[in-house]
Amino acid sequence: MTPDTLSITFGALADPTRRAILARLARGEASVTELAEPFKMSLPAVSKHLKVLERAGLIARGREAQWRPARLEAGPLKDVSEWVGEYRRFWEESFERLDEYLRELQKKTKRNDKTRTEEEQQDPNE
Amino acid sequence: MTPDTLSITFGALADPTRRAILARLARGEASVTELAEPFKMSLPAVSKHLKVLERAGLIARGREAQWRPARLEAGPLKDVSEWVGEYRRFWEESFERLDEYLRELQKKTKRNDKTRTEEEQQDPNE
């Protein structure tokens, strides 16, 4: 079975170095040498990551034989955004539930504080 | 090196069956048996996928020994959404460039149509 496009994209993104390469390319295109430098990686290691990103359509490479600058291609990221956007209501709901819980907690704390203050006022010399 | 949280999440999402399981759980919690049915998968195969999703924090399982319903947990999806959101301007930019290109193309087509029509009008009996 050939993996579907979205699976290939998610697979390519499941690596911190590849995500760091994308973050670097978001600032402008770069050659393999330029990419290897900040990551303290060998050129073949960077090339391997670039191949994975290229296969996923997340980057494109220039045609010049020596200097083949890589640049970001945002299409698959848009697909990821659309896919995950379908679940937005779930994290918004859980945030609302947490918010409600915290408001309830705050109300109770205030009530307790008030009760305590009243008790203290009733017995000032205790 | 232990994989970072986001890499674990992306890794878990890099499979169409696991994404389909999440889509099913978005409609409500379900047991392994209920999940296996529509996917025509064996219970151990479903269990294996659920373990990957659980490790990524994308689902939580009930505690009842027999019936351990799985439910969606949206936290990691929110992280994915935030991560990919950083790249939004890139696909919006490329969409704008495409849009501009198509508008230019349309203008040219209209101009050509106009020229052709004028030519036809100049030579109505040709």
Side-chain angles (χ1 to χ4, degrees):
Chain A
M1 201 176 82
T2 341
D4 61 298
T5 317
L6 208 46
S7 295
I8 294 173
T9 306
F10 280 128
L13 296 176
D15 181 279
T17 308
R18 288 199 288 271
R19 292 197 305 278
I21 290 175
L22 291 182
R24 164 62 190 83
L25 295 178
R27 295 190 286 116
E29 57 176 35
S31 69
V32 176
T33 320
E34 286 171 323
L35 287 169
E37 223 279 312
F39 297 114
K40 310 236 179 290
M41 279 174 76
S42 69
L43 297 186
V46 173
S47 287
K48 209 172 152 189
H49 281 309
L50 290 181
K51 274 201 188 84
V52 177
L53 291 170
E54 196 175 10
R55 201 165 50 227
L58 286 159
I59 64 160
R61 308 282 307 268
R63 285 179 186 278
E64 301 82 352
Q66 292 295 320
W67 145 264
R68 296 191 58 210
R71 64 163 192 279
L72 188 70
E73 290 283 316
L77 295 176
K78 187 178 185 236
D79 297 339
V80 166
S81 175
E82 280 169 5
W83 180 84
V84 79
E86 294 288 320
Y87 294 87
R88 181 170 303 273
R89 64 189 169 99
F90 290 97
W91 68 77
E92 282 174 352
E93 267 170 25
S94 51
F95 180 76
E96 272 166 31
R97 274 202 304 273
L98 177 67
D99 198 47
E100 202 173 299
Y101 171 74
L102 290 176
R103 262 201 306 267
E104 276 303 308
L105 205 67
Q106 213 168 23
K107 260 195 246 172
K108 275 183 201 162
T109 316
K110 273 188 191 159
R111 256 201 306 270
N112 288 347
D113 282 357
K114 214 180 147 212
T115 315
R116 212 176 304 140
T117 314
E118 285 168 358
E119 281 166 0
E120 281 167 7
Q121 284 172 347
Q122 284 170 355
D123 264 333
N125 303 314
E126 203 184 64
Chain B
M1 200 176 81
T2 342
D4 61 297
T5 316
L6 209 46
S7 296
I8 294 173
T9 305
F10 280 129
L13 296 176
D15 181 279
T17 308
R18 287 198 289 269
R19 292 198 305 279
I21 290 174
L22 291 182
R24 164 61 190 83
L25 295 178
R27 295 192 285 115
E29 58 177 34
S31 68
V32 176
T33 320
E34 285 171 323
L35 287 169
E37 222 279 309
F39 297 114
K40 310 234 178 291
M41 280 173 77
S42 69
L43 298 186
V46 173
S47 286
K48 210 173 152 189
H49 281 309
L50 290 181
K51 275 203 187 84
V52 177
L53 291 170
E54 195 174 11
R55 202 165 51 225
L58 286 159
I59 64 159
R61 308 281 308 267
R63 285 177 185 279
E64 301 82 353
Q66 293 295 321
W67 146 263
R68 295 191 60 209
R71 63 163 192 279
L72 187 71
E73 290 283 316
L77 295 176
K78 187 176 184 238
D79 298 339
V80 166
S81 176
E82 279 167 6
W83 180 85
V84 81
E86 295 288 319
Y87 293 88
R88 179 171 304 274
R89 64 187 169 100
F90 289 98
W91 69 77
E92 282 174 353
E93 268 170 25
S94 51
F95 180 76
E96 272 165 32
R97 274 203 304 274
L98 177 67
D99 197 47
E100 204 172 297
Y101 170 74
L102 290 176
R103 262 200 306 266
E104 276 305 307
L105 204 68
Q106 212 168 23
K107 261 195 245 171
K108 275 183 201 163
T109 316
K110 272 187 193 160
R111 258 202 305 272
N112 288 348
D113 281 356
K114 213 179 147 215
T115 316
R116 211 175 306 138
T117 314
E118 283 167 0
E119 281 165 1
E120 283 166 7
Q121 285 172 346
Q122 282 168 1
D123 263 333
N125 303 316
E126 204 185 59

